[in-house]
Amino acid sequence: MQISSPIAFYGLLTAIFLSGIPYGTVDPFSKSLVIVAVCVFGAFRVIQGVIAERSLRLSEPQMFLPLGGVILVAILQIIPLPFLEWKTISSDPYETKVFIL
């Protein structure tokens, strides 16, 4: 077991646990800080996995099917439809785009 694996795991766990604090505020800097922390620890874990396995292989690719389904539903919500009052299924397409990203 390498030392970087627990650091990445507990770093992600801590970042996700502490994300509730800045999301109660309206300051975009604090929200961005949480996003950067999750991305850094996630990238750290991916790099550690590539170094340990010497390849970028998904052991359980079907684990990404729910994520793909949520993204597909979100994309369908922002497709413009001319017969709707709001032109999209989502009443706030901007926030739906932010969610997809």
Side-chain angles (χ1 to χ4, degrees), residues 10 16 28-30 35 47 52 56 68 71 76 83 85 96 100-101:
Y10 289 115
I16 292 169
F29 175 74
S30 57
I35 292 170
I47 291 169
L56 186 59
I71 291 174
L76 289 175
F83 56 86
E85 180 181 348
T96 306
I100 292 171
L101 293 176

Side-chain angles (χ1 to χ4, degrees), residues 11-73:
L12 277 171
L13 194 64
T14 304
I16 292 169
F17 176 73
L18 294 177
S19 68
I21 296 168
Y23 273 99
T25 66
V26 293
D27 186 27
F29 175 74
S30 57
K31 290 181 180 182
S32 299
L33 192 61
V34 170
I35 292 170
V36 167
V38 169
C39 289
V40 165
F41 283 118
F44 191 61
R45 177 64 181 101
V46 168
I47 291 169
Q48 186 268 333
V50 168
I51 290 172
E53 299 288 327
R54 298 196 185 269
S55 69
L56 186 59
R57 181 180 61 86
L58 298 174
S59 60
E60 299 287 336
Q62 63 268 25
M63 295 286 288
F64 287 99
L65 288 177
L67 177 65
V70 168
I71 291 174
L72 179 67
V73 167

